[in-house]
């Protein structure tokens, strides 16, 4: 009989641990100003067979003080309670406040933490937010000068088809990555398992921005089908590059379907393809401009807006690094930061081509030159 009761107690305890009891901290991410206290809530829901304690006495009291009581005691039985705690930041920086649970292992506390970013000046937080909306607007608006330019001319001569088709592959991959990581709980749980003290890197704005990029690039590609193109097509090298991307996507999707890899790994593959498209997409347009000795037909305003967005993005990173004393955030994602600098450098290349090298119009216009092919001189209809 004692053995039966012992087994029943273990069964109830396991069920309480994994299914019937939940413990969370709300909000999990906080942005505060130096010296400004903020309130968090500890929410408990469900049945527990034995009492336990939650202790917020983390070792960095010199950075963030937890008030008034750093220890919360939960009695056995049903607990549907909310406890409030006050965090008082006394130092700039980025801090992860993780409480301890006693007895250890009684509840799953892998996601029980608070990410707190403490700024020196509140006005700089607002300035950073404003800059963020500014560079998002610049990048989003950057598609429309080229679309309008094509519509007004009823021609896409001077625009690289390779650039557009490689670009849209990257944007579609980025949409898939954002949508599934943001909305799919199965993928999100795997991300948290690999990054226990991390937050979901995707926000709603990322999905909207990526979807808009697909729309803007897609409209431009449609114009290439409708308007005069001077005989331009997608070049063989570009087709090979796109085919390699599609093969990689197909193989990784098949491996995820057969459970050789996790679906999160498939999404990482999609993000890597997005990064690779950013590295190669600018070369065809720059090479075409060089072969034609002209940037006519290529609307420079889209590169100016892209450059403005990139510079505003770097400015925001610098402001946040200084305000939060978090200079490591700049080098925290060197690939993303490096690709941002790479895009800015190419923007300068296009601007130099447009305003310095090929600023004078030429009497004849070249057919758009696919990547790695020689230019062909033809006379095109007047615009």
């Amino acid at each position: 009989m004692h053995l039966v009761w012992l087994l029943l107690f273990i069964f109830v305890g396991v069920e309480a641990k994994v299914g019937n009891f939940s413990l969370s901290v709300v909000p999990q991410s906080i942005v505060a100003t130096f010296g400004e206290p903020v309130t968090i809530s500890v929410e408990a829901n469900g049945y527990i067979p034995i009492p336990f304690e939650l202790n917020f006495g983390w070792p960095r009291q010199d950075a963030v003080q937890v008030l008034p009581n750093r220890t919360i005691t939960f009695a056995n039985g049903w607990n549907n309670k909310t406890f409030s705690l006050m965090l008082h930041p006394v130092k700039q920086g980025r801090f992860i406040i993780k409480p301890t649970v006693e007895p250890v292992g009684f509840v799953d506390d892998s996601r029980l933490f608070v990410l707190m970013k403490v700024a020196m000046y509140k006005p700089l937080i607002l300035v950073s937010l404003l800059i963020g909306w500014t560079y998002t607007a610049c990048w989003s608006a950057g598609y429309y000068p080229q679309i309008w330019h094509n519509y007004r001319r009823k021609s896409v001569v001077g625009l690289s088809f390779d650039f557009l088709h490689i670009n849209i592959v990257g944007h579609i991959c980025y949409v898939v990555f954002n949508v599934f990581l943001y909305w799919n709980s199965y993928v999100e749980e795997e991300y948290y398992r690999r990054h226990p003290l991390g937050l979901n890197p995707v926000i709603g704005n990322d999905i909207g921005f990526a979807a808009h990029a697909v729309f803007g690039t897609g409209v431009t590609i449609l114009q290439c089908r409708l308007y005069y193109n001077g005989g331009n097509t997608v070049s063989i090298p570009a087709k090979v590059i796109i085919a390699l991307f599609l093969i990689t996507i197909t193989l990784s999707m098949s491996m995820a379907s057969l459970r050789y890899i996790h679906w999160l790994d498939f999404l990482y593959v999609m993000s890597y393809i997005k990064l690779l498209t950013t590295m190669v997409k600018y070369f065809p347009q720059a090479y075409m401009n060089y072969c034609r000795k002209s940037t006519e037909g290529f609307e420079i305003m889209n590169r100016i807006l892209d450059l403005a967005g990139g510079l505003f993005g770097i400015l925001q990173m610098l402001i946040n690094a200084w305000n939060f004393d978090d200079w490591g955030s700049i080098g925290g994602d060197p690939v993303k930061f490096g690709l941002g600098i790479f895009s800015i450098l190419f923007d300068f290349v296009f601007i130099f081509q447009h305003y310095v090298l090929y600023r004078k119009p030429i009497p004849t216009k070249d057919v758009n030159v696919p990547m790695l092919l020689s230019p062909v001189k033809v006379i095109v209809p007047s615009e």
Side-chain angles (χ1 to χ4, degrees):
M1 179 62 69
H2 293 290
L3 179 61
V4 173
W5 281 109
L6 178 60
L7 293 175
L8 180 61
F9 175 80
I10 293 174
F11 173 76
V12 172
V14 170
E15 284 298 302
K17 175 182 176 182
V18 300
N20 295 336
F21 184 74
S22 64
L23 194 63
S24 60
V25 180
V26 180
Q28 200 170 28
S29 178
I30 300 173
V31 177
T33 308
F34 177 75
E36 175 189 7
V38 294
T39 301
I40 63 171
S41 298
V42 178
E43 299 180 353
N45 292 282
Y47 177 83
I48 52 175
I50 60 174
F52 73 94
E53 291 185 345
L54 189 66
N55 186 4
F56 276 85
W58 74 308
R60 294 296 307 278
Q61 294 295 319
D62 63 317
V64 180
Q65 297 176 351
V66 183
L67 305 171
N69 188 356
R70 292 178 291 181
T71 301
I72 302 175
T73 301
F74 296 87
N76 62 305
W78 290 97
N79 282 266
N80 296 298
K81 302 177 181 178
T82 300
F83 300 88
S84 296
L85 292 173
M86 182 174 293
L87 304 181
H88 188 272
V90 294
K91 186 177 181 181
Q92 285 176 275
R94 179 182 182 274
F95 309 104
I96 296 178
I97 304 170
K98 184 171 177 59
T100 58
V101 178
E102 296 180 0
V104 177
F106 176 68
V107 295
D108 182 8
D109 61 347
S110 60
R111 298 293 301 164
L112 199 64
F113 67 92
V114 179
L115 174 60
M116 190 171 190
K117 297 179 67 176
V118 183
M120 176 62 74
Y121 299 110
K122 188 172 184 178
L124 284 182
I125 298 178
L126 301 178
V127 170
S128 175
L129 182 63
L130 179 60
I131 292 175
W133 282 107
T134 300
Y135 71 67
T136 300
C138 288
W139 283 336
S140 299
Y143 297 95
Y144 294 100
Q146 185 66 59
I147 292 174
W148 173 251
H149 190 60
N150 297 339
Y151 170 76
R152 183 175 55 83
R153 299 167 65 234
K154 298 297 186 292
S155 170
V156 290
V157 173
L159 187 60
S160 171
F161 285 20
D162 296 347
F163 167 78
L164 293 173
H165 287 77
I166 293 174
N167 201 20
I168 199 169
V169 171
H171 289 323
I172 291 174
C173 289
Y174 192 48
V175 168
V176 173
F177 174 84
N178 286 329
V179 166
F180 280 91
L181 189 54
Y182 185 76
W183 273 313
N184 190 290
S185 58
Y186 175 71
V187 173
E188 186 179 46
E189 288 175 4
E190 175 64 15
Y191 179 84
Y192 290 151
R193 190 184 69 81
R194 300 186 190 185
H195 308 278
L197 299 182
L199 301 177
N200 193 322
V202 179
I203 60 176
N205 288 348
D206 295 330
I207 298 175
F209 176 77
H212 179 266
V214 173
F215 169 78
T217 308
V219 170
T220 310
I221 291 176
L222 179 62
Q223 289 182 320
C224 294
R225 304 294 180 183
L226 298 177
Y227 298 149
Y228 178 76
N229 57 36
N232 189 21
T233 60
V234 180
S235 70
I236 293 179
K239 290 179 180 178
V240 170
I241 291 172
I242 294 173
L244 291 175
F245 288 151
L246 296 179
I247 291 172
T248 302
I249 292 172
T250 303
L251 290 177
S252 58
M253 183 182 296
S254 300
M255 293 178 66
S257 299
L258 297 174
R259 298 186 178 182
Y260 287 108
I261 63 174
H262 196 278
W263 281 105
L264 179 61
D265 298 308
F266 165 72
L267 294 183
Y268 282 149
V269 170
M270 301 294 278
S271 69
Y272 298 150
I273 291 176
K274 165 60 179 174
L275 296 178
L276 288 174
T277 60
T278 303
M279 294 181 64
V280 302
K281 67 182 183 180
Y282 297 111
F283 288 98
Q285 186 66 61
Y287 181 71
M288 175 181 289
N289 296 342
Y290 165 76
C291 292
R292 298 174 68 239
K293 299 298 185 291
S294 172
T295 58
E296 189 171 355
F298 177 65
E299 178 53 62
I300 196 62
M301 183 54 66
N302 64 29
R303 304 324 308 166
I304 294 176
L305 288 171
D306 185 78
L307 174 62
L311 294 177
F312 276 122
I314 292 178
L315 177 61
Q316 184 191 52
M317 292 175 64
L318 294 175
I319 290 176
N320 288 341
W322 185 84
N323 198 27
F324 292 99
D325 192 23
D326 187 20
W327 294 99
S329 62
I330 295 180
D333 192 348
V335 174
K336 184 177 180 180
F337 181 74
L339 287 174
I341 297 296
F342 183 81
S343 297
I344 289 176
L345 291 177
F346 257 100
D347 289 333
F348 279 117
V349 169
F350 289 125
I351 291 173
F352 184 73
Q353 285 182 325
H354 183 80
Y355 290 107
V356 179
L357 294 180
Y358 315 128
R359 67 182 184 277
K360 295 182 180 180
I362 55 178
T364 59
K365 302 172 185 177
D366 299 338
V367 173
N368 289 359
V369 184
M371 188 166 52
L372 302 183
L373 297 182
S374 300
V376 179
K377 294 281 187 177
V378 298
I379 304 296
V380 301
S382 59
E383 300 165 4

